Amino acid sequence: MSGFEGITAVVTGAARGIGRALATRLAAAGAAVVAVDIRGSDVERMAARLSAGGARALGVRCDVSSRAEVADLGRAVAAWSPGGVQLLCNNAGVFTPRHAVTATHEDWEWVLGVCLWGTIHGIEEFLPGMVASGRPGHVLNTASMNGYIPNRNSALYSAAKYAVVGLSETLRLELASTRVGVTVLAPSAVHTDIGTCEDVRPARFARTREDPPDDPFADHGLAAARQPGEVAALALEGVLAGREVIFTDPVVGPLLDERHARVRAAVPTSPPGISPR
Ligand SMILES: NC(=O)c1ccc[n+]([C@@H]2O[C@H](COP(=O)([O-])OP(=O)(O)OC[C@H]3O[C@@H](n4cnc5c(N)ncnc54)[C@H](O)[C@@H]3O)[C@@H](O)[C@H]2O)c1
């Protein structure tokens, strides 16, 4: 993809934070933008604001954890953009500071439902058309540094984000002979509203037990949190450059080295013998 002028982009989680910054920058760069969020009135207002500024924009309320709602989204986008979608930003995500032992089943379903299934639903709905069109296209999946490095209070989130990374790396291989690229956005701390995501927790994932959260956001010794606009700018540069992954904090380097060294040390130098019973 050589630029955003004239393309149609779908951005999930566009009401706040990184998604809002992605949608705003894409509109400013000449893309027609479908701003998708469970906060429906926020994305409708946002689309109205972008349209008033001269962009083409549509706001759609959609819970990305619901396959049926993403199918409805697909129909709305097809009607609005007969030329299809060229950039799919699977960005909606939620976080809850729970250890695996204190999480409820609904915590797991919510975090994996939005972060992982939301990404899968976007791919199911839009990717076949993107590939079939033969036009240049791109999938930008927002994971996290927690998709590469474990963190003490993020079992649920890391389960989802590691899966998004595995899915994206594989997708990149599968699509190598097509005109559709794949990039993972793997931010470290960003100043956003993710701490308020319990406000948009669908009722079907409501906690069945009330107990205090575990640790607050764990600390990797990160540099200062980035602004969403900076992260969106890095992400869109990365899309145009066809990067595999975009990190936002140098601290990830040594943490990745440490993780890979630990895993690498477990690889046997010759096929391990298995003692016969
Ligand atoms: N903020 C950080 O420090 C950070 C770090 C790494 C990765 N991320 C990832 O960045 C992405 C964007 O998060 P953010 O930090 O901008 O948070 P945010 O809360 O500011 O924005 C997330 C948006 O997703 C929407 N959303 C939540 N549940 C939804 C659902 N079921 N369906 C549709 N939309 C839904 C929210 O309404 C919100 O507008 C997420 O995938 C998050 O995991 C964030």
Side-chain angles (χ1 to χ4, degrees):
M1 172 167 282
S2 58
F4 301 119
E5 179 82 45
I7 69 156
T8 294
V10 171
V11 182
T12 70
R16 303 276 163 94
I18 298 168
R20 179 166 58 190
L22 284 170
T24 306
R25 280 176 182 265
L26 284 164
V33 174
V34 185
V36 180
D37 205 282
I38 197 166
R39 291 178 160 109
S41 48
D42 286 12
V43 274
E44 281 162 21
R45 269 197 301 276
M46 175 186 193
R49 200 170 56 247
L50 293 176
S51 303
R56 186 154 189 269
L58 174 71
V60 182
R61 188 213 166 273
C62 172
D63 172 357
V64 297
S65 69
S66 158
R67 183 65 188 93
E69 291 195 23
V70 177
D72 289 344
L73 168 68
R75 283 186 281 275
V77 173
W80 187 76
S81 175
V85 170
Q86 287 73 51
L87 176 60
L88 171 62
C89 303
N90 288 310
N91 169 77
V94 293
F95 176 85
T96 185
R98 296 281 170 191
H99 293 160
V101 287
T102 57
T104 63
H105 185 72
E106 293 76 15
D107 290 331
W108 284 102
E109 287 203 319
W110 177 43
V111 175
L112 273 89
V114 180
C115 294
L116 175 57
W117 279 103
T119 302
I120 295 170
H121 292 157
I123 287 169
E124 287 183 309
E125 190 60 36
F126 295 107
L127 185 60
M130 292 169 69
V131 171
S133 76
R135 291 181 62 180
H138 212 91
V139 179
L140 175 70
N141 289 332
T142 305
S144 165
M145 69 180 281
N146 289 123
Y148 294 86
I149 298 158
N151 189 350
R152 132 175 83 76
N153 67 347
S154 70
L156 293 66
Y157 190 69
S158 286
K161 296 298 189 179
Y162 269 67
V164 169
V165 170
L167 164 63
S168 306
E169 289 186 357
T170 310
L171 197 56
R172 197 173 157 93
L173 296 177
E174 286 184 5
L175 297 180
S177 62
T178 75
R179 301 186 78 193
V180 179
V182 182
T183 295
V184 176
L185 174 60
S188 302
V190 189
H191 282 297
T192 68
D193 292 321
I194 199 159
T196 68
C197 62
E198 286 282 347
D199 297 352
V200 289
R201 182 166 171 146
R204 70 186 193 284
F205 301 135
R207 283 201 115 230
T208 45
R209 210 178 54 229
E210 276 319 318
D211 49 10
D214 294 309
D215 307 342
F217 290 90
D219 187 1
H220 277 307
L222 302 177
R226 309 290 298 251
Q227 293 301 326
E230 297 176 293
V231 173
L234 288 171
L236 295 178
E237 264 171 45
V239 166
L240 293 182
R243 289 211 181 89
E244 177 170 342
V245 55
I246 296 149
F247 292 109
T248 62
D249 188 326
V251 77
V252 173
L255 291 168
L256 266 181
D257 289 346
E258 186 277 324
R259 191 243 177 196
H260 288 156
R262 189 161 34 83
V263 176
R264 181 70 184 79
V267 179
T269 47
S270 57
I274 299 168
S275 50
R277 287 199 186 207

